[in-house]
Amino acid sequence: MALQIGIVGLPNVGKSTLFNALTQAAVPVASYPFTTIDPNVGVAALPDSRLDQITAILQPKRSVLATIEFVDIAGLVKGASRGEGLGNQFLGHIRNVDAIALVLRCFEDEDIPHQFETIDPLLDLDTVNMELVLADVATVDRQIEKIAGAAKANPREFGDQIAFLKSLRAHLNDGERAATYPCKGQEGDWLMEANLLSKKPQLLVANVGEESLPTGGPLAQRVQERAMQTGEGAVVLCAGVETELAQLPPDEASEFRKELDLGEPGLTRLARAGYQLLNLITFFTATGTDEVRAWPLQAGRTVWEAAGMIHTDMQRGFIRAEVAAWNDIATAGSWTATRSQGRSRVEGRDYVVQDGDVLHIRFNV
């Protein structure tokens, strides 16, 4: 199953507009809360110059970029943890994603209402995070109650876990995210098992007006400063402009970006930041002259696990993998030349895939 990033934020901050730009999908956009009630899932491609170079040399019939999934989740409102708005439903959608892209409104527009009297992206950020924390308090309370029942028969076995949960609840009650809880030993495993909303990795997305490009302006600067303080990533973009760019032919989009003094497309920066957020690397496969493809894989995974991403039959019948660095194949000009120059090697199922590896999996059907 693909890893997913949830696009989260208060109503009317530009989440669905950003989602449309990412996926060029026809999701309804309107200036009122709850435009998106069911989470929409879209796939965004990640441009990769390494794939371009391999493709230019091997000349396959098809070249396929790596992708990352984004889920457009309807806007949270203050009180969502108590069921305000459609809070319980939306919080459940957040629970199912692997990470969060938290969209923050950094633009002024009198025609688009906002929850607060002033535009303050940090207030928006703190409001969303507080709702996640409050929902986590309720989750931890339920877990304490459940484990306490089991502990009656064997208090020694569950004592440490109950003590951890109570300490975690105190941390959350102080308004702190679960992501900042200082785990020791087995506590890290217990924290992962809890699947708390405020534990999920976050990427801050400052959605600015076109007039604030390319730097983003003072509101976006505040978001970037907060990200530096917390050690999280931040991306500054204009969702409206990115939507326009996504609909233009490549040459026209390039000219438009030059007029706005923009470098790399904001969507590319967002997809790349999402990759980093999920701790992903890219490996490649080159199937004869038919296809060259880039694949996302979590760092630290084995070649056997990579085979399973390509096809379950490949994983089930895995024998071995021929591995070469992408630049070695690009330099040699083909798999055959790479082998003859001694630049490829054979690895077993426990080999940990490295970013930029080109894999040729041998397997029994």
Side-chain angles (χ1 to χ4, degrees), residues 23-298:
T23 63
Q24 299 187 50
V27 177
V29 179
S31 59
Y32 54 85
F34 315 128
T35 300
T36 308
I37 295 177
D38 294 324
N40 297 280
V41 180
V43 179
L46 182 69
D48 194 318
S49 61
R50 298 171 299 181
L51 181 68
D52 295 339
Q53 292 184 54
I54 297 172
T55 300
I57 290 174
L58 300 184
Q59 295 291 309
K61 297 176 183 175
R62 191 165 71 135
S63 179
V64 183
L65 295 166
T67 60
I68 187 167
E69 287 193 1
F70 286 88
V71 182
D72 183 25
I73 299 173
L76 291 173
V77 297
K78 190 173 183 179
S81 59
R82 302 189 303 273
E84 295 291 334
L86 298 176
N88 293 331
Q89 182 180 348
F90 298 163
L91 290 169
H93 292 156
I94 296 173
R95 197 176 302 281
N96 293 330
V97 299
D98 301 285
I100 296 170
L102 214 165
V103 182
L104 302 169
R105 180 168 171 171
C106 296
F107 63 89
E108 301 276 358
D109 191 329
E110 294 181 355
D111 294 329
I112 301 178
H114 192 51
Q115 277 207 306
F116 304 115
E117 292 183 0
T118 60
I119 302 300
D120 184 346
L122 297 188
L123 176 59
D124 293 1
L125 171 61
D126 293 339
T127 299
V128 172
N129 274 328
M130 184 53 65
E131 294 302 324
L132 301 183
V133 166
L134 291 173
D136 284 346
V137 170
T139 298
V140 172
D141 281 341
R142 289 192 296 270
Q143 292 180 354
I144 291 174
E145 184 178 353
K146 178 181 177 181
I147 295 174
K152 290 179 180 179
N154 193 347
R156 184 173 299 178
E157 180 179 352
F158 296 99
D160 288 345
Q161 189 171 3
I162 290 178
F164 156 72
L165 289 172
K166 289 182 177 179
S167 175
L168 174 60
R169 181 177 60 185
H171 179 81
L172 295 170
N173 280 332
D174 287 337
E176 300 293 335
R177 291 168 52 203
T180 64
Y181 184 81
C183 292
K184 297 175 291 184
Q186 192 177 7
E187 292 179 349
D189 295 332
W190 289 332
L191 185 58
M192 290 299 296
E193 291 171 4
N195 190 27
L196 299 180
L197 302 175
S198 66
K199 176 67 173 66
K200 294 183 183 294
Q202 286 188 2
L203 170 68
L204 306 186
V205 182
N207 184 20
V208 306
E210 182 176 340
E211 70 282 355
S212 297
L213 293 173
T215 60
L219 291 177
Q221 184 177 354
R222 294 179 63 195
V223 173
Q224 292 174 304
E225 290 171 353
R226 173 67 69 87
M228 290 181 63
Q229 292 170 4
T230 59
E232 294 168 328
V235 175
V236 177
L237 51 75
C238 175
V241 167
E242 295 299 334
T243 300
E244 292 182 52
L245 288 168
Q247 296 171 348
L248 294 175
D251 55 341
E252 293 183 26
S254 179
E255 286 300 317
F256 191 8
R257 282 197 300 272
K258 287 180 181 178
E259 291 176 13
L260 296 173
D261 198 22
L262 298 175
E264 189 176 45
L267 300 186
T268 300
R269 289 186 286 109
L270 179 60
R272 185 171 292 115
Y275 235 59
Q276 295 171 353
L277 188 68
L278 292 172
N279 194 28
L280 297 176
I281 62 170
T282 300
F283 72 90
F284 304 96
T285 55
T287 310
T289 59
D290 291 331
E291 178 184 272
V292 173
R293 180 185 288 259
W295 301 83
L297 182 72
Q298 279 196 297

Side-chain angles (χ1 to χ4, degrees), residues 268-342:
T268 300
R269 289 186 286 109
L270 179 60
R272 185 171 292 115
Y275 235 59
Q276 295 171 353
L277 188 68
L278 292 172
N279 194 28
L280 297 176
I281 62 170
T282 300
F283 72 90
F284 304 96
T285 55
T287 310
T289 59
D290 291 331
E291 178 184 272
V292 173
R293 180 185 288 259
W295 301 83
L297 182 72
Q298 279 196 297
R301 300 290 187 180
T302 65
V303 70
W304 181 78
E305 292 170 298
M309 288 195 62
I310 301 170
H311 200 286
T312 53
D313 288 346
M314 189 173 288
Q315 185 180 56
R316 189 180 301 112
F318 182 91
I319 301 173
R320 61 184 180 274
E322 186 177 7
V323 183
W326 75 271
N327 52 343
D328 284 339
I329 288 185
T331 300
S334 68
W335 261 115
T336 302
T338 304
R339 294 188 190 102
S340 65
Q341 295 173 18

